[in-house]
């Protein structure tokens, strides 16, 4: 066992003494030691209940003959960090989560790991660590929040963001917004809807690193606790078989996850996280692959925010296994891959079927013939840009309009709420990419304000930052190269015409090469917005959004 390095033999007597100081018995020390990364805290609604999930995992580990050893990680709530300096630290926190789990698992050589995340950057961060450390491991999330109810309709966090714009537009009163605020988020869990957290929890299932139900069983359900116990039991089985994460997360498994991503209409942030996770397994997922898979994968689910159905609806309709079973029928998945259940995907999907054909449509009657995400290329985004095409109004699938240029999110938000944006405009928010932000700001506030003001079918937004999974409309993010790296987005001037053609996967700045070359000569990089601390160091190391915003690994060459 790996843990023998810190507990076996006479020379490890001091080590065992330290374990005994914490109350561990000789019998507990002799058993396999299972590290449990628990990201519980009191600042994220998706994490406030994770100690209960952790206890259930511990119970499962003990039932299967192991000794659970829990430790904590950090976590950022994207909703609370939104639209102020806090958002500069959100994406950057993903690397700290991955590093902290790696540090704990290598400093204390556990025999296996169970990872308990539940929100935007914590899930991919833990998956990155799982593949980096590569010991028997499984993930179990805290589950999605239930939708709220307000005046007879389902509501959620994005309803409140959009409510701010509605108050500005005069279609909602401040008192009504207060009522909505009180009802939209009814309790614990990752925010209701196919936002980033729930997207990544569903894709954890699809890759095969979590058990069925990981992405959709509600946070408040007893089934969620039972799933956590099963995860604790199953990790001991993975340990006995020495079935490692990299044996599960193969190129075929990532292809399956990307197909499920398209069928569900997941958050555009998956295009950042999935390649970053694959990178830790030594795999590369070029952005073109997302388009290739999207073009042959039907969009089967119309989930909040782009549609009416909730994660609870998806769970009741058969969950991710039902979606995968439907995709398997049309040959869109490789069912030979292994999963954390210990079985192949094909065996796992036997008997699974759609229980509600409106929530999960049959492949022959999809919501859209193509998947939920598209990657656009062109002279404005030579390395790519990402849009959630399933959430774009038909009128905006192609659009040409004048650029309204802003060098920060706050300045754009002020103009939007100040009624300075007109129908037909293309709002450009730049210098908010991985380096320029730093941290690749999420733009839920401006996109929600555009929707709340009733401009969702008339105004596009383009940024080198990114969007919340709660974003809808013609919102195109991850424009690469970013402005801080001298990408073409840095050369746009007020009034330039921009052409968006999502069906043809094109994003074009209608300015001549000669004029752009002239502008480039006079362009100067902006000074860093943060000049010290972690965010500054992150900005020096982070790569393009087109590579998943991973950190550079060539520092040794630079030092030499």
């Amino acid at each position: 066992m790996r843990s023998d390095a810190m507990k076996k033999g006479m020379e490890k007597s001091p080590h065992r003494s330290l374990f005994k100081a914490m109350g561990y018995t000789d019998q507990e020390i002799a058993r396999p030691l299972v590290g449990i990364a628990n990201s519980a805290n009191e600042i994220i609604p998706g994490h406030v209940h994770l100690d209960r999930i952790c206890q259930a995992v511990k119970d499962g580990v003990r039932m299967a003959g192991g000794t659970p050893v829990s430790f904590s990680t950090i976590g950022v709530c994207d909703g609370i960090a939104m639209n102020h300096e806090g958002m500069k630290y959100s994406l950057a926190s993903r690397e700290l989560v991955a590093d902290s789990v790696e540090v704990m698992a290598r400093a204390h050589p556990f025999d296996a790991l169970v990872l308990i995340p539940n929100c935007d950057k914590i899930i991919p961060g833990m998956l990155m660590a799982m593949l980096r450390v590569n010991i028997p491991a499984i993930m179990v999330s805290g589950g999605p929040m239930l939708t709220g109810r307000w005046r007879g309709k389902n509501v959620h966090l994005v309803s409140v963001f959009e409510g701010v714009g509605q108050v500005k537009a005069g279609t909602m009163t401040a008192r009504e917004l207060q009522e909505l605020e009180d009802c939209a988020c009814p309790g614990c869990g990752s925010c209701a809807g196919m936002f980033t957290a729930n997207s990544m929890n569903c894709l954890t299932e699809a890759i095969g690193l979590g058990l069925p139900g990981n992405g959709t069983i509600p946070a408040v359900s007893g089934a969620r606790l039972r799933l956590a116990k099963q995860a604790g039991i199953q990790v001991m089985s993975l340990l006995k078989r020495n079935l490692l994460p990299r044996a599960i997360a193969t190129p075929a498994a990532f292809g399956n996850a990307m197909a499920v991503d398209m069928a569900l209409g997941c958050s555009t942030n998956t295009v950042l996280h999935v390649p970053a996770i694959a990178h830790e397994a030594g795999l590369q997922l070029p952005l073109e692959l997302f388009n290739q898979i999207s073009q042959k994968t039907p969009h089967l689910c119309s989930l909040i925010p782009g549609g009416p159905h909730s994660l609870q609806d998806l769970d009741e309709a058969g969950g991710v296994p039902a979606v995968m079973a439907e995709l398997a029928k049309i040959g869109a998945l490789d069912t030979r891959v292994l999963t954390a259940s210990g079985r192949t995907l094909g065996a796992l999907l036997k008997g699974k079927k759609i229980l509600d054909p409106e929530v999960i449509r049959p492949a022959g009657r999809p919501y859209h013939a193509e998947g939920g995400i598209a990657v656009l290329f062109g002279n404005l985004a030579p390395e790519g840009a990402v849009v959630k095409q399933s959430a774009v109004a038909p009128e905006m699938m192609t659009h040409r309009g004048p650029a309204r240029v802003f060098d920060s999110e706050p300045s754009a938000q002020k103009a939007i709420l100040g009624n300075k944006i007109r129908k037909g405009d293309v709002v450009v928010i730049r210098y908010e990419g991985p380096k320029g932000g730093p941290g690749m700001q999420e733009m839920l506030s401006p996109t929600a304000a555009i929707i709340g003001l009733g401009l969702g079918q008339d105004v596009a937004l383009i940024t080198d930052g990114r969007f919340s999974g709660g974003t809808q409309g013609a919102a195109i993010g991850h424009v690469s190269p970013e402005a801080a790296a001298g990408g073409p987005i840095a050369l746009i001037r007020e009034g330039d015409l921009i052409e968006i053609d999502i069906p043809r996967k094109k994003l074009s700045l209608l300015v001549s090469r000669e004029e752009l070359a002239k502008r480039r000569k006079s362009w100067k990089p902006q000074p860093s917005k943060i000049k010290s601390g972690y965010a500054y160091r992150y900005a020096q190391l982070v790569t393009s959004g087109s590579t998943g915003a991973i950190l550079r690994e060539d520092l040794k060459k630079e030092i030499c």
Side-chain angles (χ1 to χ4, degrees):
M1 292 189 294
R2 289 181 79 250
S3 63
D4 286 349
M6 62 178 171
K7 69 182 188 183
K8 192 172 183 180
M10 180 270 293
E11 69 278 10
K12 296 301 187 295
S13 181
H15 303 62
R16 292 192 297 273
S17 181
L18 290 169
F19 274 100
K20 289 177 179 178
M22 295 179 281
Y24 291 96
T25 65
D26 285 324
Q27 292 87 345
E28 287 175 305
I29 296 169
R31 294 172 184 161
L33 300 184
V34 179
I36 302 175
N38 175 16
S39 56
N41 60 53
E42 295 181 351
I43 191 65
I44 308 178
H47 291 224
V48 73
H49 66 303
L50 291 188
D51 282 337
R52 290 191 69 202
I53 303 294
C54 184
Q55 185 56 55
V57 169
K58 288 180 178 180
D59 292 344
V61 170
R62 289 188 186 280
M63 284 191 284
T67 297
V69 183
S70 66
F71 59 91
S72 61
T73 70
I74 65 163
V76 171
C77 178
D78 276 27
I80 295 174
M82 193 74 64
N83 199 32
H84 59 84
E85 188 182 51
M87 183 48 69
K88 298 181 185 297
Y89 292 84
S90 174
L91 180 60
S93 73
R94 184 186 72 182
E95 314 309 314
L96 289 178
V97 170
D99 290 351
S100 66
V101 174
E102 177 197 5
V103 165
M104 292 299 287
R106 294 202 192 281
H108 318 98
F110 299 118
D111 298 300
L113 286 172
V114 180
L115 302 116
I116 309 174
N118 209 34
C119 286
D120 292 27
K121 309 309 163 301
I122 301 92
I123 301 160
M126 286 194 177
L127 287 170
M128 290 165 68
M130 183 194 293
L131 290 166
R132 189 184 298 173
V133 175
N134 201 36
I135 63 175
I138 197 168
M139 179 172 282
V140 58
S141 77
M145 183 186 295
L146 298 177
T147 54
R149 293 287 293 173
W150 181 64
R151 298 192 175 189
K153 63 180 181 180
N154 289 337
V155 291
H156 44 82
L157 176 65
V158 177
S159 306
V160 189
F161 273 98
E162 292 175 357
V164 174
Q166 291 171 333
V167 171
K168 291 287 184 180
T171 58
M172 178 183 284
T173 67
R175 184 182 181 87
E176 287 172 334
L177 180 60
Q178 173 73 54
E179 289 179 15
L180 176 59
E181 172 190 326
D182 291 343
C183 301
C185 299
C188 66
S190 47
C191 294
M194 192 50 78
F195 310 146
T196 304
N198 291 324
S199 294
M200 292 308 305
N201 278 331
C202 288
L203 296 192
T204 299
E205 278 189 62
I207 296 170
L209 296 174
L211 295 176
N214 181 72
T216 59
I217 296 173
V220 295
S221 170
R224 175 60 56 179
L225 296 176
R226 295 196 298 273
L227 182 72
K229 289 178 184 176
Q230 290 166 2
I233 293 168
Q234 184 58 26
V235 78
M236 295 300 295
S237 175
L238 297 175
L239 175 59
K240 288 173 186 174
R241 291 180 56 177
N242 196 35
L243 182 52
L244 304 181
R246 291 189 191 179
I248 294 170
T250 61
F254 279 103
N256 289 347
M258 293 162 77
V260 171
D261 188 343
M262 300 308 164
L264 291 175
C266 289
S267 163
T268 53
N269 281 317
T270 61
V271 183
L272 280 176
H273 299 319
V274 172
I277 295 162
H279 173 77
E280 297 292 348
L283 306 173
Q284 288 189 339
L285 298 180
L287 289 187
E288 291 87 347
L289 186 56
F290 283 87
N291 275 345
Q292 293 169 17
I293 291 176
S294 180
Q295 286 168 353
K296 64 182 183 182
T297 307
H299 177 219
L300 303 181
C301 301
S302 185
L303 300 163
I304 297 168
H309 301 128
S310 67
L311 266 291
Q312 186 177 359
D313 294 332
L314 178 60
D315 188 61
E316 292 170 0
V320 174
V323 173
M324 296 187 81
E326 190 65 19
L327 292 177
K329 288 181 186 177
I330 61 171
L333 300 180
D334 186 336
T335 58
R336 299 168 296 177
V337 297
L338 284 172
T339 69
S341 70
R343 296 185 286 169
T344 65
L345 179 61
L348 201 64
L349 296 182
K350 275 190 178 177
K352 303 299 182 185
K353 61 182 181 180
I354 296 171
L355 302 178
D356 186 333
E358 219 27 58
V359 176
I360 305 172
R361 287 201 175 169
R365 189 174 61 88
Y367 283 97
H368 301 96
E370 285 193 12
I373 289 174
V375 181
L376 312 183
F377 295 92
N379 72 334
L380 183 47
E383 295 177 6
V386 182
V387 62
K388 188 171 183 175
Q389 61 180 350
S390 60
V392 178
E395 300 91 333
M396 293 297 292
M397 293 295 284
T398 59
H399 180 75
R400 178 186 290 191
R404 304 297 308 281
V405 184
F406 303 93
D407 287 346
S408 70
E409 182 199 6
S411 61
Q413 179 74 345
K414 183 178 179 181
I416 294 166
L417 293 179
N419 295 311
K420 300 293 178 61
I421 304 302
R422 301 287 177 256
K423 289 183 177 182
D425 285 349
V426 179
V427 176
V428 176
I429 305 178
R430 62 191 181 189
Y431 295 102
E432 294 288 14
K435 290 180 180 296
M440 211 173 183
Q441 302 255 73
E442 274 194 352
M443 304 293 169
L444 179 56
S445 292
T447 56
I450 287 170
I451 297 296
L453 288 165
L455 296 173
Q457 297 180 4
D458 303 287
V459 170
L461 194 153
I462 295 174
T463 181
D464 53 7
R466 59 195 176 90
F467 294 109
S468 162
T471 291
Q472 56 179 310
I476 299 168
H478 309 196
V479 171
S480 300
E482 62 175 292
I489 191 172
L491 307 179
I492 302 173
R493 291 183 179 173
E494 188 82 6
D496 285 349
L497 285 180
I498 293 175
E499 186 170 69
I500 299 163
D501 192 334
I502 295 173
R504 295 178 59 224
K505 312 296 186 288
K506 293 287 186 182
L507 181 62
S508 305
L509 176 60
L510 302 183
V511 174
S512 70
R513 290 183 183 178
E514 293 77 15
E515 174 61 21
L516 290 178
K518 181 180 176 182
R519 293 180 189 181
R520 182 168 296 284
K521 288 180 180 178
S522 61
W523 175 79
K524 294 180 181 178
Q526 285 195 347
S528 177
K529 295 174 185 173
I530 295 180
K531 303 185 187 304
S532 63
Y534 175 64
Y536 176 78
R537 297 196 302 273
Y538 176 85
Q540 311 313 304
L541 298 175
V542 71
T543 62
S544 169
S546 63
T547 63
I550 58 174
L551 299 186
R552 291 170 54 196
E553 296 180 343
D554 60 349
L555 295 183
K556 185 177 180 181
K557 295 178 187 177
E558 192 170 284
I559 293 169
C560 294

